[in-house]
Amino acid sequence: MVNNFSMLRKPIAIILVFLAMCPASFGWGNEGHQIIATVAADHLDETTKVMIQSLLGNNHLYSIASWADDIRRDRRETATWHYVDIPLGDKYNSSRDCALPESCVVLKINDFLKLLTDKNATRDQRAEALKFIVHFVGDIHQPLHAVKEAKGGNGVHVRFLGDDKCGRYDCNLHGVWDTSLILRTGLGRQEYSQHLEELIQSQKLGSRDGGTPEQWANESAQLAGAAWVPDGASLDEQYYHRENKVVDRQMALAGLRLAKLLNDSIGKMTPRDFGSGQAPNIPAQTSAVPPVQVGGAASNIKVWVNPRSMVYHCPDTQWYGKTKSGEYMSEVDARQKGYRPAGGRECR
């Protein structure tokens, strides 16, 4: 398929603004995870959509796609769950690459899938499991999240298209794969997801929507080996165009596989199976809708803002008033100052 992104790029200044907003490498970055979730949402069965809405309320799947990164600094035990350390040129070995108690993304996808479908789990437990699954399926398809060397490429310093800086940060191989290759296209979430839908159709990727987390990790590890460069390397336009195709394919597959994972699990359940969670009565054809904007009925609720993660927590949630740093303010003030709701869910 011919890559026509060069004709679609926005001005470089806009891209650099986006790059400057990106934190240190956290796996595809917010943009990549939201694109994957958007692709997945377009491939969900109607029953699956109902079950997801019973857990997330009126929040689109993409709005919670980066939740696992948002809470990462406050819940440090989750840090190793985002990746798996497979040596370059090797394949996944659970005892070597995913030893307990730290665990890794391969096992955590399976762990949270069991929790998501546990009829005895609370609604909050299943909602959290869903958020982790949405994020971790994306992470495991990022090739640099499946390689051990140099902390997944974080320790490989590079120049990207002639620049040492990727936004505010020094460029490294992992960060380039997390955000730079995606943001360089200049495409927004909806545009990018539509591009991936076209890719899915043209390359018939729908036939590859299955597999296991272990198989996905091995695929990513192999791609990481092909994309690996030595410390100090310069990543030129040729590298960008070659690996951008890999990024597209991996995000498309992640979206398809996430959808199938959910369709084959909670998509086979009913609201009665979620009885302990007191799922709301949602019409069968209802689909998820975007979160409400600032100015709704909940705007004056006092929330707890965390300046480190730039998210805010609603009353009666786990981290309300409990993070190491933070302060109380109204939800409308929090939104105006750039804070995002934890998990993408507005307060009620």
Side-chain angles (χ1 to χ4, degrees):
M1 179 177 177
V2 178
N3 191 321
N4 293 321
F5 276 7
S6 59
M7 296 185 293
L8 296 171
R9 293 177 191 150
K10 303 289 192 297
I12 296 299
I14 296 177
I15 298 171
L16 292 177
V17 169
F18 283 134
L19 285 171
M21 295 170 60
C22 295
S25 307
F26 270 9
W28 286 133
N30 292 338
E31 297 78 14
H33 281 292
Q34 290 184 5
I35 292 165
I36 290 168
T38 300
V39 171
D42 289 337
H43 292 267
L44 295 174
D45 296 338
E46 290 303 317
T47 300
T48 309
K49 293 177 183 178
V50 172
M51 300 308 293
I52 289 173
Q53 195 169 35
S54 76
L55 296 177
L56 301 182
N58 293 329
N59 291 292
H60 193 285
L61 202 63
Y62 74 76
S63 71
I64 54 89
S66 294
W67 174 86
D69 279 341
D70 293 339
I71 56 94
R72 190 167 165 177
R73 289 188 176 92
D74 294 322
R75 296 175 59 177
R76 297 183 183 279
E77 77 279 5
T78 71
T80 62
W81 301 353
H82 293 250
Y83 58 87
V84 55
D85 282 338
I86 303 174
L88 275 172
D90 211 338
K91 291 187 176 181
Y92 174 74
N93 180 308
S94 59
S95 60
R96 178 195 64 197
D97 308 329
C98 203
L100 298 175
E102 288 82 7
S103 196
C104 73
V105 68
V106 176
L107 291 186
K108 296 314 293 185
I109 290 175
N110 290 324
D111 288 346
F112 284 115
L113 186 61
K114 292 177 183 177
L115 181 58
L116 179 64
T117 55
D118 183 354
K119 297 178 183 179
N120 295 317
T122 67
R123 176 178 174 178
D124 286 344
Q125 288 174 326
R126 290 193 301 268
E128 181 169 295
L130 175 62
K131 294 173 187 177
F132 275 122
I133 290 170
V134 170
H135 189 86
F136 290 161
V137 171
D139 276 346
I140 204 171
H141 284 83
Q142 208 277 53
L144 276 299
H145 272 247
V147 63
K148 179 179 182 179
E149 278 73 9
K151 295 183 178 180
N154 278 291
V156 178
H157 302 91
V158 297
R159 288 174 62 84
F160 181 61
L161 302 180
D163 202 334
D164 292 321
K165 291 285 187 180
C166 292
R168 294 177 293 166
Y169 302 95
D170 292 337
C171 293
N172 65 67
L173 185 61
H174 191 111
V176 166
W177 275 80
D178 271 354
T179 57
S180 302
L181 289 171
I182 294 173
L183 293 178
R184 173 68 176 177
T185 67
L187 297 178
R189 175 185 57 82
Q190 197 60 50
E191 292 174 292
Y192 213 129
S193 61
Q194 181 58 46
H195 165 71
L196 295 185
E197 287 294 343
E198 295 171 1
L199 185 69
I200 288 169
Q201 297 302 319
S202 65
Q203 296 192 9
K204 296 180 172 58
L205 296 182
S207 62
R208 296 190 57 194
D209 63 354
T212 66
E214 180 177 343
Q215 291 170 334
W216 304 337
N218 282 329
E219 289 176 1
S220 289
Q222 185 176 8
L223 293 171
W228 198 261
V229 296
D231 189 53
S234 181
L235 309 183
D236 56 14
E237 286 282 350
Q238 183 178 2
Y239 183 95
Y240 163 69
H241 287 294
R242 181 179 72 246
E243 302 303 341
N244 178 259
K245 295 177 182 178
V246 177
V247 168
D248 287 355
R249 188 178 180 85
Q250 285 299 99
M251 290 202 297
L253 287 173
L256 289 172
R257 289 166 176 173
L258 173 59
K260 180 173 176 56
L261 198 66
L262 297 177
N263 287 335
D264 289 348
S265 55
I266 58 174
K268 306 300 182 183
M269 303 176 76
T270 68
R272 183 173 299 175
D273 294 324
F274 279 10
S276 62
Q278 299 179 354
N281 183 19
I282 302 173
Q285 298 301 315
T286 299
S287 58
V289 296
V292 299
Q293 301 299 313
V294 175
S299 296
N300 290 321
I301 290 177
K302 288 293 183 181
V303 299
W304 176 259
V305 300
N306 184 343
R308 295 180 61 186
S309 61
M310 290 304 294
V311 301
Y312 66 79
H313 303 274
C314 301
D316 300 324
T317 58
Q318 182 178 6
W319 298 103
Y320 187 71
K322 295 181 180 179
T323 58
K324 293 182 179 179
S325 61
E327 63 177 302
Y328 296 101
M329 66 177 65
S330 70
E331 184 176 21
V332 66
D333 287 341
R335 293 283 186 95
Q336 290 174 348
K337 292 182 179 181
Y339 291 96
R340 295 176 290 111
R345 182 182 297 181
E346 75 280 359
C347 299
R348 292 187 177 88

